[in-house]
Amino acid sequence: MTSVKRACGNCNLRELCLPYGLSNDELERLDELVTSRRKIKQGEFLYRAGSGFEAIYAIRSGFFKTDVLLEDGREQVTGFQMGGELLGLDGISTEFHTCNSVALEASEVCVIPFSRLETLSREIQTLQHHFHKVMSREIVRDHGVMMLLGTMRAEERLAAFLLNLSQRFTARGYSHADFYLRMTREEIGSYLGLKLETVSRAFSRFQEAGHIAVQQKHIRILNIAGLKALMSHQRV
Amino acid sequence: MTSVKRACGNCNLRELCLPYGLSNDELERLDELVTSRRKIKQGEFLYRAGSGFEAIYAIRSGFFKTDVLLEDGREQVTGFQMGGELLGLDGISTEFHTCNSVALEASEVCVIPFSRLETLSREIQTLQHHFHKVMSREIVRDHGVMMLLGTMRAEERLAAFLLNLSQRFTARGYSHADFYLRMTREEIGSYLGLKLETVSRAFSRFQEAGHIAVQQKHIRILNIAGLKALMSHQRV
DNA sequence: TATTAAGCTTGATCCAAGTCAACCTGTAAC
DNA sequence: GTTACAGGTTGACTTGGATCAAGCTTAATA
């Protein structure tokens, strides 16, 4: 846990994150609230299902997964999160977290005490509205995942997944076509409702088709249109 | 579109709905905002994907489904909603709706103009916090659906679905064990990522096992423990 | 009362993805 | 540099749920 002076004002992710749209004055007031950061090593939990909720977290650097577990041990990865995205929104409803959040690489998050965020967002309309948009965006994203899981075939799911990652890397100034996956095939599979072998085979088929080049976690997208076309292939 | 005086103060769903936890004074202020209702006939849209967002809706009576469609026509039902639940939260993020909302029986909703709700929730902390809880609850629910779609088998999905309906009917004062489905087998299947034939067969198997009695849309739950056991691969 | 159509059930068959198993690759530890 | 191991790939085979098809039920309408 480290403490910081200008958490948001100096952050290059601010346009993707909670401070979006705030004036300088408002940014300063948000900075008063975001005064501590947490570093999380690869494999460590940011929070666990069942643990008390008192803050949400903005990812300053790194990469996370969130998952839920059934009593019998089955895991469902519910999302992968990267810089500028918020973690912990699930905890608001019940006052405790309902999923696990695990760092997939060494990461750092800004701690945003939730009741103070509510207080501030009663005073700053822009902040309030943007926070509502972020929560709503999460609901819309979830609907997209349901569509993926409920109606798409294995290759469509994986193509959608790669295109989504690509788009989010682009938004953060990274290459849209050349990146390293932070998650294993098993984690991708869990997110997409597939087994790791199916994910691996789909990668291989994409490579054979010339859509991508895969070498373990290194992905290069060679034909983005090809991937997009895969997603509109109707079930036979 | 009808206009009303005491929308929330007189509503018997208020403890399940947005007004939860408000004082009488606060309830009156919310009533100033919730001044119109809309009746929707069976099969009609409350809103469509792409249409502008300016209000959320509280279900006063009736039953809805929400769905998203792919360009090729494939449908994913993202949820079924009943009295006291909020519709339209998906529209906040993009200023237009991203899914369709269709009445599955003659229904009535209260119209809650969203920007006025934001204004009021800057003034009433309880309202603000409860609204955040409702949005968060939707996110948590979505995670549950992902678990369903991603890791559960057909019978587990249907058992989870029935138990969820049962629990929500109970909360509204209806029988937990005897109810009529408002949706078709096809809509259940879309929600659960299954084909209608699979849903029908699973119902038949539940009936053979003595867990339920089905006659078309009429469901009686005979052995709730049996259904619960199905979800954890246990025997009863 | 007969007709129609939408929705539901059930049987037969098929196939996409799961399972099982063997082997490969990269990397961390010694 | 060797070893060990987690993660990834690929092949052979199995299976749960999809698909195709036929018939049944219920409710609306003529």
Side-chain angles (χ1 to χ4, degrees):
Chain A
M1 209 82 138
T2 55
S3 79
V4 279
K5 274 273 158 58
R6 294 203 65 204
C8 300
N10 287 332
C11 181
N12 61 359
L13 288 167
R14 66 175 173 277
E15 289 308 303
L16 286 165
C17 192
L18 202 56
Y20 175 82
L22 296 191
S23 71
N24 283 337
D25 274 8
E26 292 164 345
L27 213 52
E28 273 179 39
R29 299 188 65 192
L30 185 58
D31 276 333
E32 285 167 30
L33 188 154
V34 184
T35 53
S36 80
R37 294 216 183 109
R38 250 179 82 187
K39 283 189 186 341
I40 298 97
K41 296 198 188 107
Q42 182 170 3
E44 284 184 356
F45 287 82
L46 173 58
Y47 54 81
R48 286 169 192 269
S51 61
F53 167 78
E54 73 301 314
I56 61 173
Y57 306 92
I59 301 175
R60 185 166 164 78
S61 68
F63 206 95
F64 287 81
K65 72 167 177 181
T66 46
D67 67 13
V68 279
L69 281 93
L70 291 180
E71 310 82 67
D72 61 18
R74 280 181 285 179
E75 177 196 28
Q76 175 68 35
V77 170
T78 54
F80 297 107
Q81 298 83 21
M82 54 179 84
E85 296 176 341
L86 294 185
L87 281 164
L89 298 174
D90 61 287
I92 302 169
S93 71
T94 49
E95 318 277 354
F96 56 86
H97 288 285
T98 57
C99 61
N100 302 297
S101 176
V102 182
L104 296 181
E105 63 181 25
S107 303
E108 193 175 16
V109 298
C110 299
V111 180
I112 306 171
F114 188 65
S115 68
R116 293 191 61 193
L117 177 65
E118 285 195 329
T119 304
L120 193 60
S121 76
R122 265 178 269 128
E123 294 165 21
I124 304 178
Q125 184 180 354
T126 316
L127 178 64
Q128 179 200 35
H129 188 59
H130 185 59
F131 178 64
H132 291 162
K133 283 196 171 193
V134 170
M135 291 208 93
S136 172
R137 191 192 301 154
E138 181 66 16
I139 291 170
V140 173
R141 186 195 72 86
D142 291 346
H143 291 170
V145 177
M146 287 183 209
M147 172 61 88
L148 220 89
L149 292 170
T151 79
M152 289 184 163
R153 320 239 334 260
E155 294 195 3
E156 295 178 293
R157 296 183 202 187
L158 191 64
F161 171 74
L162 288 176
L163 291 168
N164 174 265
L165 274 188
S166 165
Q167 178 263 306
R168 285 154 75 202
F169 283 130
T170 309
R172 283 156 187 79
Y174 302 114
S175 168
H176 74 286
D178 192 315
F179 48 83
Y180 283 83
L181 299 173
R182 271 71 169 187
M183 67 295 280
T184 65
R185 302 289 189 265
E186 189 168 19
E187 286 162 336
I188 297 172
S190 170
Y191 180 62
L192 298 177
L194 303 169
K195 291 293 161 184
L196 68 94
E197 295 94 332
T198 306
V199 173
S200 181
R201 279 186 242 271
F203 271 133
S204 299
R205 258 174 282 135
F206 286 179
Q207 181 158 251
E208 279 161 38
H211 297 133
I212 62 171
V214 206
Q215 199 181 19
Q216 306 280 112
K217 294 194 158 152
H218 182 199
I219 304 282
R220 276 177 301 136
I221 298 181
L222 306 174
N223 178 7
I224 206 158
L227 284 181
K228 282 179 182 158
L230 271 170
M231 288 181 55
S232 39
H233 275 179
Q234 183 126 27
R235 204 172 269 233
V236 195
Chain B
M1 209 80 137
T2 55
S3 78
V4 278
K5 274 273 156 60
R6 293 203 65 203
C8 301
N10 287 332
C11 181
N12 60 358
L13 287 167
R14 67 176 174 277
E15 290 307 304
L16 286 165
C17 192
L18 202 56
Y20 175 83
L22 297 190
S23 70
N24 282 337
D25 274 8
E26 293 163 345
L27 213 53
E28 273 181 37
R29 300 187 64 193
L30 186 59
D31 276 334
E32 284 167 29
L33 187 156
V34 184
T35 53
S36 82
R37 296 218 182 107
R38 250 179 82 187
K39 282 188 185 343
I40 299 98
K41 297 197 189 106
Q42 182 170 3
E44 285 184 356
F45 286 82
L46 172 58
Y47 53 79
R48 286 170 192 268
S51 61
F53 168 78
E54 73 303 309
I56 61 174
Y57 305 93
I59 302 175
R60 185 167 163 78
S61 68
F63 207 94
F64 286 81
K65 72 166 176 181
T66 46
D67 65 14
V68 278
L69 281 95
L70 291 180
E71 311 80 68
D72 62 19
R74 280 180 285 178
E75 178 196 29
Q76 175 68 36
V77 171
T78 54
F80 298 107
Q81 298 82 20
M82 53 178 83
E85 295 176 341
L86 294 185
L87 280 162
L89 299 174
D90 60 286
I92 302 168
S93 71
T94 50
E95 317 276 354
F96 56 86
H97 289 285
T98 57
C99 62
N100 301 297
S101 176
V102 182
L104 296 182
E105 63 182 23
S107 302
E108 193 175 18
V109 298
C110 299
V111 180
I112 307 171
F114 187 65
S115 68
R116 293 191 60 195
L117 178 64
E118 285 195 329
T119 303
L120 193 60
S121 74
R122 266 179 269 127
E123 294 165 21
I124 304 178
Q125 184 180 354
T126 316
L127 178 65
Q128 179 201 36
H129 188 60
H130 185 59
F131 179 64
H132 291 163
K133 283 196 170 194
V134 169
M135 290 207 94
S136 173
R137 191 193 300 154
E138 181 65 16
I139 292 171
V140 173
R141 186 195 72 86
D142 291 346
H143 291 172
V145 177
M146 288 182 209
M147 171 62 87
L148 220 88
L149 292 170
T151 79
M152 288 183 163
R153 318 243 328 273
E155 294 195 3
E156 294 178 292
R157 296 183 202 187
L158 191 64
F161 171 74
L162 288 175
L163 291 168
N164 174 265
L165 274 189
S166 165
Q167 178 263 306
R168 285 155 73 202
F169 282 130
T170 308
R172 282 155 187 81
Y174 303 113
S175 167
H176 74 285
D178 192 315
F179 49 83
Y180 284 83
L181 299 173
R182 272 73 168 185
M183 68 295 278
T184 66
R185 301 290 189 263
E186 188 168 19
E187 286 163 335
I188 297 172
S190 170
Y191 181 61
L192 298 178
L194 303 169
K195 291 292 160 183
L196 70 94
E197 294 93 331
T198 306
V199 173
S200 180
R201 279 186 241 270
F203 272 133
S204 300
R205 258 174 281 134
F206 286 179
Q207 181 157 250
E208 279 162 39
H211 297 134
I212 63 173
V214 205
Q215 198 181 19
Q216 306 280 110
K217 294 194 160 153
H218 183 198
I219 303 283
R220 277 176 301 136
I221 298 181
L222 306 174
N223 177 7
I224 207 158
L227 284 180
K228 282 179 183 159
L230 270 171
M231 289 180 57
S232 38
H233 273 218
Q234 287 162 10
R235 291 284 136 87
V236 163

